[in-house]
Short mmCIF file of all heavy atoms in Angstrom, two decimals:
data_model
loop_
_atom_site.label_atom_id
_atom_site.label_comp_id
_atom_site.label_asym_id
_atom_site.label_seq_id
_atom_site.Cartn_x
_atom_site.Cartn_y
_atom_site.Cartn_z
N LYS K 1 149.22 -67.44 8.44
CA LYS K 1 150.39 -66.64 8.02
C LYS K 1 150.13 -65.20 8.23
O LYS K 1 149.02 -64.69 7.84
CB LYS K 1 150.64 -66.95 6.49
CG LYS K 1 151.82 -66.16 5.90
CD LYS K 1 151.89 -66.42 4.41
CE LYS K 1 152.99 -65.49 3.86
NZ LYS K 1 153.08 -65.70 2.32
N ARG K 2 151.05 -64.53 8.75
CA ARG K 2 150.91 -63.05 8.94
C ARG K 2 150.91 -62.38 7.60
O ARG K 2 151.78 -62.71 6.74
CB ARG K 2 152.00 -62.53 9.80
CG ARG K 2 151.79 -62.82 11.25
CD ARG K 2 152.71 -61.99 12.18
NE ARG K 2 152.52 -62.20 13.54
CZ ARG K 2 153.16 -61.57 14.47
NH1 ARG K 2 154.10 -60.69 14.17
NH2 ARG K 2 152.91 -61.76 15.80
N GLN K 3 150.08 -61.41 7.41
CA GLN K 3 150.03 -60.62 6.19
C GLN K 3 151.24 -59.75 6.05
O GLN K 3 151.61 -58.95 7.01
CB GLN K 3 148.76 -59.71 6.07
CG GLN K 3 147.49 -60.58 6.08
CD GLN K 3 147.40 -61.38 4.80
OE1 GLN K 3 147.85 -61.03 3.70
NE2 GLN K 3 146.76 -62.58 4.95
N GLU K 4 151.97 -59.84 4.97
CA GLU K 4 153.17 -59.03 4.79
C GLU K 4 152.75 -57.70 4.17
O GLU K 4 152.04 -57.68 3.13
CB GLU K 4 154.15 -59.73 3.88
CG GLU K 4 154.71 -61.03 4.50
CD GLU K 4 155.69 -61.69 3.58
OE1 GLU K 4 155.94 -61.16 2.53
OE2 GLU K 4 156.25 -62.76 4.02
N ASN K 5 153.23 -56.59 4.74
CA ASN K 5 152.92 -55.31 4.27
C ASN K 5 154.17 -54.42 4.33
O ASN K 5 154.28 -53.51 5.15
CB ASN K 5 151.79 -54.69 5.06
CG ASN K 5 151.30 -53.39 4.46
OD1 ASN K 5 151.66 -53.04 3.32
ND2 ASN K 5 150.42 -52.69 5.19
N GLN K 6 155.10 -54.84 3.48
CA GLN K 6 156.45 -54.15 3.56
C GLN K 6 156.31 -52.73 3.18
O GLN K 6 157.03 -51.87 3.69
CB GLN K 6 157.36 -54.89 2.61
CG GLN K 6 157.65 -56.38 3.01
CD GLN K 6 158.27 -56.48 4.38
OE1 GLN K 6 159.05 -55.60 4.80
NE2 GLN K 6 158.01 -57.58 5.08
N GLY K 7 155.36 -52.46 2.15
CA GLY K 7 155.28 -51.07 1.74
C GLY K 7 154.80 -50.14 2.80
O GLY K 7 155.28 -49.08 3.05
N GLY K 8 153.75 -50.67 3.58
CA GLY K 8 153.20 -49.84 4.67
C GLY K 8 154.26 -49.69 5.80
O GLY K 8 154.36 -48.63 6.36
N ILE K 9 154.96 -50.74 6.06
CA ILE K 9 155.97 -50.67 7.11
C ILE K 9 157.07 -49.68 6.69
O ILE K 9 157.53 -48.88 7.53
CB ILE K 9 156.61 -52.07 7.40
CG1 ILE K 9 155.52 -52.96 7.98
CG2 ILE K 9 157.81 -51.93 8.35
CD1 ILE K 9 155.98 -54.38 8.17
N SER K 10 157.49 -49.75 5.45
CA SER K 10 158.50 -48.75 4.98
C SER K 10 157.99 -47.36 5.07
O SER K 10 158.76 -46.43 5.46
CB SER K 10 158.87 -49.16 3.52
OG SER K 10 159.38 -50.41 3.42
N GLY K 11 156.72 -47.14 4.72
CA GLY K 11 156.17 -45.83 4.76
C GLY K 11 156.12 -45.29 6.21
O GLY K 11 156.42 -44.14 6.50
N ILE K 12 155.68 -46.17 7.14
CA ILE K 12 155.61 -45.77 8.53
C ILE K 12 157.05 -45.51 9.07
O ILE K 12 157.22 -44.56 9.82
CB ILE K 12 154.96 -46.93 9.32
CG1 ILE K 12 153.47 -47.04 8.99
CG2 ILE K 12 155.15 -46.64 10.88
CD1 ILE K 12 152.81 -48.29 9.56
N LEU K 13 158.03 -46.31 8.62
CA LEU K 13 159.41 -46.11 9.07
C LEU K 13 159.94 -44.80 8.57
O LEU K 13 160.58 -44.02 9.33
CB LEU K 13 160.29 -47.27 8.58
CG LEU K 13 161.77 -47.20 9.01
CD1 LEU K 13 161.88 -47.29 10.52
CD2 LEU K 13 162.52 -48.37 8.34
N ILE K 14 159.62 -44.47 7.33
CA ILE K 14 160.06 -43.14 6.71
C ILE K 14 159.39 -42.02 7.49
O ILE K 14 160.09 -41.04 7.84
CB ILE K 14 159.83 -43.10 5.25
CG1 ILE K 14 160.67 -44.14 4.48
CG2 ILE K 14 160.05 -41.73 4.70
CD1 ILE K 14 160.33 -44.32 3.06
N LEU K 15 158.17 -42.14 7.71
CA LEU K 15 157.40 -41.12 8.39
C LEU K 15 157.91 -40.97 9.84
O LEU K 15 158.10 -39.87 10.31
CB LEU K 15 155.89 -41.47 8.51
CG LEU K 15 155.00 -40.49 9.22
CD1 LEU K 15 154.99 -39.16 8.55
CD2 LEU K 15 153.59 -41.04 9.40
N PHE K 16 158.25 -42.06 10.58
CA PHE K 16 158.80 -41.99 11.87
C PHE K 16 160.12 -41.31 11.92
O PHE K 16 160.40 -40.48 12.75
CB PHE K 16 158.89 -43.43 12.45
CG PHE K 16 159.58 -43.48 13.74
CD1 PHE K 16 158.87 -43.08 14.92
CD2 PHE K 16 160.89 -43.94 13.89
CE1 PHE K 16 159.53 -43.15 16.16
CE2 PHE K 16 161.48 -44.03 15.15
CZ PHE K 16 160.81 -43.60 16.24
N VAL K 17 161.01 -41.72 10.95
CA VAL K 17 162.34 -41.04 10.89
C VAL K 17 162.22 -39.53 10.56
O VAL K 17 162.92 -38.67 11.18
CB VAL K 17 163.23 -41.68 9.82
CG1 VAL K 17 164.50 -41.00 9.64
CG2 VAL K 17 163.52 -43.18 10.21
N THR K 18 161.28 -39.23 9.66
CA THR K 18 161.08 -37.81 9.35
C THR K 18 160.60 -37.00 10.56
O THR K 18 161.07 -35.94 10.86
CB THR K 18 160.03 -37.68 8.19
OG1 THR K 18 160.48 -38.47 7.10
CG2 THR K 18 159.84 -36.23 7.72
N VAL K 19 159.65 -37.59 11.26
CA VAL K 19 159.10 -36.87 12.51
C VAL K 19 160.21 -36.76 13.54
O VAL K 19 160.38 -35.73 14.21
CB VAL K 19 157.87 -37.65 13.06
CG1 VAL K 19 157.50 -37.09 14.40
CG2 VAL K 19 156.75 -37.59 12.08
N CYS K 20 160.99 -37.86 13.71
CA CYS K 20 162.12 -37.80 14.68
C CYS K 20 163.09 -36.75 14.36
O CYS K 20 163.72 -36.16 15.28
CB CYS K 20 162.77 -39.18 14.79
SG CYS K 20 161.74 -40.42 15.61
N ILE K 21 163.32 -36.50 13.10
CA ILE K 21 164.32 -35.47 12.69
C ILE K 21 163.63 -34.10 12.79
O ILE K 21 164.29 -33.12 13.20
CB ILE K 21 164.82 -35.75 11.30
CG1 ILE K 21 165.65 -37.06 11.18
CG2 ILE K 21 165.65 -34.58 10.72
CD1 ILE K 21 166.08 -37.43 9.83
N PHE K 22 162.39 -34.01 12.44
CA PHE K 22 161.70 -32.71 12.31
C PHE K 22 161.47 -32.09 13.67
O PHE K 22 161.69 -30.92 13.90
CB PHE K 22 160.36 -32.91 11.59
CG PHE K 22 159.55 -31.61 11.59
CD1 PHE K 22 159.86 -30.58 10.74
CD2 PHE K 22 158.42 -31.48 12.43
CE1 PHE K 22 159.09 -29.37 10.77
CE2 PHE K 22 157.69 -30.33 12.45
CZ PHE K 22 158.05 -29.29 11.56
N ILE K 23 161.06 -32.90 14.66
CA ILE K 23 160.72 -32.36 15.98
C ILE K 23 161.93 -31.72 16.68
O ILE K 23 161.85 -30.59 17.11
CB ILE K 23 160.06 -33.47 16.85
CG1 ILE K 23 158.66 -33.78 16.28
CG2 ILE K 23 159.95 -32.95 18.32
CD1 ILE K 23 158.01 -34.89 17.07
N PRO K 24 163.07 -32.44 16.78
CA PRO K 24 164.21 -31.76 17.34
C PRO K 24 164.69 -30.59 16.55
O PRO K 24 165.09 -29.55 17.14
CB PRO K 24 165.35 -32.85 17.37
CG PRO K 24 164.57 -34.10 17.28
CD PRO K 24 163.39 -33.83 16.45
N LEU K 25 164.58 -30.68 15.21
CA LEU K 25 165.05 -29.55 14.34
C LEU K 25 164.03 -28.32 14.56
O LEU K 25 164.53 -27.24 14.63
CB LEU K 25 164.98 -29.98 12.89
CG LEU K 25 165.42 -28.94 11.92
CD1 LEU K 25 166.90 -28.55 12.09
CD2 LEU K 25 165.28 -29.45 10.48
N HIS K 26 162.75 -28.67 14.64
CA HIS K 26 161.83 -27.59 14.91
C HIS K 26 162.06 -26.89 16.24
O HIS K 26 162.00 -25.66 16.37
CB HIS K 26 160.38 -28.18 14.86
CG HIS K 26 159.30 -27.16 15.27
ND1 HIS K 26 158.92 -26.08 14.53
CD2 HIS K 26 158.55 -27.13 16.42
CE1 HIS K 26 158.03 -25.43 15.17
NE2 HIS K 26 157.80 -26.01 16.30
N ASN K 27 162.28 -27.68 17.27
CA ASN K 27 162.56 -27.13 18.59
C ASN K 27 163.88 -26.28 18.56
O ASN K 27 163.92 -25.23 19.21
CB ASN K 27 162.72 -28.22 19.64
CG ASN K 27 161.39 -28.96 19.86
OD1 ASN K 27 160.26 -28.40 19.62
ND2 ASN K 27 161.39 -30.21 20.32
N TYR K 28 164.87 -26.78 17.86
CA TYR K 28 166.16 -26.05 17.81
C TYR K 28 165.91 -24.76 17.01
O TYR K 28 166.39 -23.70 17.45
CB TYR K 28 167.17 -26.91 17.06
CG TYR K 28 168.48 -26.17 16.86
CD1 TYR K 28 169.38 -25.93 17.85
CD2 TYR K 28 168.83 -25.74 15.59
CE1 TYR K 28 170.57 -25.26 17.66
CE2 TYR K 28 170.05 -25.13 15.34
CZ TYR K 28 170.89 -24.85 16.46
OH TYR K 28 172.04 -24.22 16.12
N LEU K 29 165.20 -24.75 15.90
CA LEU K 29 164.93 -23.56 15.20
C LEU K 29 164.07 -22.58 15.96
O LEU K 29 164.27 -21.35 15.93
CB LEU K 29 164.22 -23.89 13.85
CG LEU K 29 165.11 -24.70 12.87
CD1 LEU K 29 164.25 -25.01 11.61
CD2 LEU K 29 166.31 -23.87 12.40
N LYS K 30 163.14 -23.16 16.68
CA LYS K 30 162.26 -22.32 17.61
C LYS K 30 163.14 -21.67 18.66
O LYS K 30 162.94 -20.48 19.00
CB LYS K 30 161.18 -23.17 18.26
CG LYS K 30 160.17 -22.35 19.03
CD LYS K 30 159.08 -23.26 19.58
CE LYS K 30 158.09 -22.43 20.38
NZ LYS K 30 157.02 -23.32 20.92
N LEU K 31 164.07 -22.41 19.23
CA LEU K 31 164.99 -21.88 20.27
C LEU K 31 165.81 -20.71 19.65
O LEU K 31 166.01 -19.65 20.31
CB LEU K 31 165.80 -22.96 20.85
CG LEU K 31 166.84 -22.58 21.89
CD1 LEU K 31 166.09 -22.10 23.16
CD2 LEU K 31 167.81 -23.73 22.26
N GLN K 32 166.31 -20.93 18.46
CA GLN K 32 167.10 -19.93 17.77
C GLN K 32 166.25 -18.71 17.49
O GLN K 32 166.73 -17.55 17.67
CB GLN K 32 167.66 -20.43 16.48
CG GLN K 32 168.93 -21.33 16.61
CD GLN K 32 169.51 -21.68 15.30
OE1 GLN K 32 168.85 -21.70 14.29
NE2 GLN K 32 170.82 -21.87 15.27
N GLU K 33 165.00 -18.90 17.10
CA GLU K 33 164.09 -17.76 16.78
C GLU K 33 163.83 -16.99 18.03
O GLU K 33 163.81 -15.75 17.98
CB GLU K 33 162.80 -18.35 16.21
CG GLU K 33 161.86 -17.31 15.73
CD GLU K 33 162.36 -16.52 14.54
OE1 GLU K 33 163.26 -17.04 13.82
OE2 GLU K 33 161.90 -15.36 14.31
N GLU K 34 163.58 -17.70 19.17
CA GLU K 34 163.34 -16.98 20.46
C GLU K 34 164.58 -16.12 20.83
O GLU K 34 164.47 -15.01 21.29
CB GLU K 34 162.99 -17.92 21.51
CG GLU K 34 161.69 -18.67 21.35
CD GLU K 34 160.48 -17.70 21.44
OE1 GLU K 34 160.66 -16.71 22.18
OE2 GLU K 34 159.43 -17.90 20.77
N GLY K 35 165.77 -16.78 20.73
CA GLY K 35 166.99 -16.00 21.02
C GLY K 35 167.18 -14.85 20.08
O GLY K 35 167.60 -13.78 20.54
N LYS K 36 166.86 -14.99 18.84
CA LYS K 36 167.00 -13.93 17.89
C LYS K 36 166.01 -12.79 18.25
O LYS K 36 166.39 -11.59 18.17
CB LYS K 36 166.66 -14.41 16.49
CG LYS K 36 166.92 -13.34 15.37
CD LYS K 36 166.68 -14.00 13.95
CE LYS K 36 166.85 -12.93 12.90
NZ LYS K 36 166.59 -13.54 11.57
N LYS K 37 164.80 -13.17 18.65
CA LYS K 37 163.86 -12.13 19.04
C LYS K 37 164.34 -11.32 20.30
O LYS K 37 164.14 -10.12 20.35
CB LYS K 37 162.45 -12.76 19.36
CG LYS K 37 161.76 -13.24 18.14
CD LYS K 37 160.43 -13.87 18.52
CE LYS K 37 159.64 -14.38 17.28
NZ LYS K 37 158.32 -14.94 17.63
N CYS K 38 164.91 -12.06 21.25
CA CYS K 38 165.41 -11.40 22.44
C CYS K 38 166.58 -10.39 22.10
O CYS K 38 166.64 -9.29 22.58
CB CYS K 38 165.91 -12.39 23.47
SG CYS K 38 164.63 -13.39 24.26
N GLN K 39 167.40 -10.88 21.16
CA GLN K 39 168.52 -9.95 20.75
C GLN K 39 168.01 -8.76 19.96
O GLN K 39 168.54 -7.66 20.13
CB GLN K 39 169.51 -10.80 19.92
CG GLN K 39 170.22 -11.88 20.65
CD GLN K 39 171.13 -11.33 21.81
OE1 GLN K 39 171.67 -10.25 21.76
NE2 GLN K 39 171.32 -12.08 22.85
N GLU K 40 167.04 -8.95 19.14
CA GLU K 40 166.44 -7.86 18.41
C GLU K 40 165.78 -6.89 19.35
O GLU K 40 165.82 -5.66 19.18
CB GLU K 40 165.47 -8.39 17.33
CG GLU K 40 166.06 -9.09 16.23
CD GLU K 40 165.09 -9.68 15.19
OE1 GLU K 40 163.89 -9.61 15.55
OE2 GLU K 40 165.49 -10.17 14.14
N GLN K 41 165.03 -7.46 20.34
CA GLN K 41 164.37 -6.54 21.30
C GLN K 41 165.47 -5.81 22.10
O GLN K 41 165.31 -4.61 22.36
CB GLN K 41 163.52 -7.46 22.27
CG GLN K 41 162.73 -6.56 23.29
CD GLN K 41 162.07 -7.51 24.31
OE1 GLN K 41 162.74 -8.22 25.01
NE2 GLN K 41 160.80 -7.46 24.40
N ALA K 42 166.52 -6.49 22.48
CA ALA K 42 167.59 -5.74 23.18
C ALA K 42 168.20 -4.69 22.38
O ALA K 42 168.58 -3.61 22.86
CB ALA K 42 168.70 -6.77 23.66
N GLU K 43 168.39 -4.95 21.08
CA GLU K 43 168.99 -3.95 20.13
C GLU K 43 168.04 -2.74 20.02
O GLU K 43 168.47 -1.56 19.92
CB GLU K 43 169.19 -4.56 18.78
CG GLU K 43 170.10 -3.77 17.91
CD GLU K 43 171.48 -3.72 18.39
OE1 GLU K 43 171.97 -4.59 19.16
OE2 GLU K 43 172.19 -2.70 18.06
N ARG K 44 166.71 -2.98 19.97
CA ARG K 44 165.74 -1.88 19.98
C ARG K 44 165.81 -1.06 21.25
O ARG K 44 165.55 0.18 21.21
CB ARG K 44 164.36 -2.43 19.72
CG ARG K 44 164.09 -2.87 18.34
CD ARG K 44 162.60 -3.00 18.05
NE ARG K 44 162.03 -4.08 18.89
CZ ARG K 44 161.90 -5.34 18.52
NH1 ARG K 44 162.40 -5.74 17.34
NH2 ARG K 44 161.40 -6.27 19.36
N ASP K 45 166.06 -1.72 22.41
CA ASP K 45 166.09 -0.99 23.69
C ASP K 45 167.37 -0.35 24.01
O ASP K 45 167.51 0.37 24.95
CB ASP K 45 165.75 -1.98 24.87
CG ASP K 45 164.32 -2.53 24.75
OD1 ASP K 45 163.47 -1.81 24.20
OD2 ASP K 45 164.01 -3.62 25.19
N PHE K 46 168.38 -0.61 23.15
CA PHE K 46 169.68 -0.09 23.40
C PHE K 46 169.74 1.39 23.49
O PHE K 46 170.34 2.00 24.44
CB PHE K 46 170.75 -0.62 22.32
CG PHE K 46 172.11 -0.04 22.56
CD1 PHE K 46 172.95 -0.50 23.48
CD2 PHE K 46 172.59 0.88 21.61
CE1 PHE K 46 174.22 -0.02 23.70
CE2 PHE K 46 173.88 1.37 21.78
CZ PHE K 46 174.67 0.94 22.83
N PRO K 47 169.18 2.14 22.56
CA PRO K 47 169.15 3.61 22.61
C PRO K 47 168.52 4.16 23.94
O PRO K 47 168.98 5.13 24.48
CB PRO K 47 168.33 4.04 21.37
CG PRO K 47 168.44 2.91 20.38
CD PRO K 47 168.49 1.74 21.25
#
């Protein structure tokens, strides 16, 4: 009989979903941050 480990599977599933959400969100926030830095740099160079 295979050992049932529902708690561990649930934890792995939650961790997997969290990572799947976090990585795209992190990349999106990073992209926004890079765009914000470019705009701030452009604003400093405007004068």
